[in-house]
Amino acid sequence: MTITIHLVGGLGNQMFQYAFGTALAQHYQTNLLLDDSWYARLPAADTARQMDLMCLKISNTQFIPPQKEAFSFIKSTRLKKLLQSFLPNGPVVHREKKGFFFDRAVFTLNSANTQNHFFTGYWQAFNYIEAIRTQLQAEFQPRAGLNQHYQYYRSLMQSSPAAMVHVRRGDYIHLPAAAQFHGALSLHYYLAGMRLILEREPNTQFFLFSDDLPWCKENFPRDFKITYIDRSDAADADAQEIDLMTYCQHFIIANSSFSWWGAWLRKNIDGLVIAPNRWISDTSLDLSDLLPANWQRLPA
């Protein structure tokens, strides 16, 4: 038996998928394979992404090698695997039934010992991975270590009460599909979160991460003590910034897996984590499997 995980999306999504696969492989005491074929034919409507997992200190680096196979003329990996499942000895295909939902059934597969299993989805629920948190804290660090550019910000974080603020705009504003599905959070959400932290820690220094720093510098009040994180041009900048986030004491995350990981991997578990009460445009979505109960939700 082998567990194969279909990887899609940016680094935050890749981390969720890898973590889910690792937890599942350990549960069944079997091997984990990673399918990164999505990145070779990125859908035109999606945000441009690249495979970034290798920038992290992950212990499992077994990727499916490019190969000729049945149904190779079909571009969709999910459809291809579904068709292959009808072949003798084909994999059992599992497609995530519901986003941001913990599906206990994946840990009780009837055919776990006799067939290979292929999983496609995002698997963004902390219950899948809570048991391996310590392992993930060790693996989800930059393989090359924190570089000098970000070490400077880390030294500032360690010298005063520090709070991370992540403002994601970019594709949430300018890419129609992402803007409609996710949508950027309001400035009111961020300011309410910052004031809440200041009530607890008046001397807090805020460290703001964003893909749109000019907008942030123009719109965030100047009376807050804010250090804006200039993005490095290093190839592993995403991995560097998620790791840098974990050194803060308090967190105001965006509706983004990127800052979700910064907060979940945090080194100080006693601080405040503030999250939006909506993750996507559908405000009726139940977020209890995505956002731990001790994370405080604010209107967004």
Side-chain angles (χ1 to χ4, degrees), residues 3 5 19-30 106-107 109 119:
I3 298 290
I5 301 296
F20 168 76
T22 298
L24 212 55
Q26 290 185 11
H27 174 76
Y28 289 110
Q29 298 183 328
T30 189
V106 299
F107 291 105
L109 301 177
F119 291 84

Side-chain angles (χ1 to χ4, degrees), residues 272-286:
L272 286 175
V273 178
I274 295 171
N277 66 346
R278 72 162 183 87
W279 204 254
I280 60 176
S281 298
D282 180 4
T283 56
S284 67
L285 181 70
D286 182 1

Side-chain angles (χ1 to χ4, degrees), residues 6-226:
H6 182 52
L7 300 171
V8 299
L11 179 58
N13 290 332
Q14 294 166 33
M15 291 164 69
F16 265 115
Q17 292 150 11
Y18 170 83
F20 168 76
T22 298
L24 212 55
Q26 290 185 11
H27 174 76
Y28 289 110
Q29 298 183 328
T30 189
N31 297 322
L32 173 65
L33 288 177
L34 304 173
D35 173 15
D36 63 348
S37 59
W38 183 82
Y39 298 89
R41 44 181 179 271
L42 187 70
D46 288 10
T47 304
R49 297 298 186 193
Q50 62 185 18
M51 171 49 56
D52 286 325
L53 269 182
M54 296 305 296
C55 295
L56 302 173
K57 296 179 180 178
I58 62 173
S59 58
N60 187 303
T61 56
Q62 297 183 57
F63 288 85
I64 296 177
Q67 56 186 343
K68 292 184 178 180
E69 54 186 349
F71 310 113
S72 59
F73 58 91
I74 297 176
K75 293 183 178 181
S76 170
T77 300
R78 287 183 293 189
L79 177 58
K80 187 186 303 181
K81 290 297 180 185
L82 182 60
L83 292 171
Q84 287 174 333
S85 67
F86 292 101
L87 297 176
N89 302 318
V92 179
V93 177
H94 304 270
R95 186 172 183 175
E96 188 176 28
K97 297 176 183 178
K98 182 180 178 182
F100 314 106
F101 172 74
F102 175 57
D103 183 2
R104 293 173 177 83
V106 299
F107 291 105
T108 57
L109 301 177
N110 292 329
S111 57
N113 296 322
T114 59
Q115 290 182 273
N116 294 328
H117 293 260
F118 180 89
F119 291 84
T120 177
Y122 291 93
W123 312 104
Q124 296 182 358
F126 65 86
N127 297 290
Y128 290 127
I129 58 176
E130 192 71 45
I132 60 169
R133 183 173 182 272
T134 300
Q135 175 184 340
L136 295 176
Q137 283 181 308
E139 290 191 341
F140 287 168
Q141 298 180 34
R143 185 174 294 274
L146 198 64
N147 66 32
Q148 187 173 2
H149 175 82
Y150 291 111
Q151 285 179 21
Y152 164 73
Y153 294 114
R154 181 178 64 183
S155 66
L156 295 179
M157 292 174 176
Q158 294 174 327
S159 64
S160 64
M164 180 275 285
V165 180
H166 179 221
V167 179
R168 179 167 175 176
R169 287 175 54 81
D171 56 345
Y172 282 12
I173 297 290
H174 303 296
L175 188 68
Q180 181 177 8
F181 186 75
H182 289 283
L185 302 180
S186 67
L187 180 62
H188 174 78
Y189 160 74
Y190 288 106
L191 298 182
M194 295 168 82
R195 293 189 183 102
L196 193 62
I197 291 174
L198 288 171
E199 289 176 6
R200 175 168 173 169
E201 194 77 65
N203 296 320
T204 296
Q205 176 78 30
F206 294 98
F207 292 84
L208 195 149
F209 298 73
S210 181
D211 54 5
D212 192 351
L213 285 182
W215 183 91
C216 294
K217 291 177 180 179
E218 182 177 342
N219 287 275
F220 276 79
R222 299 183 184 276
D223 54 340
F224 286 134
K225 294 190 292 185
I226 301 176

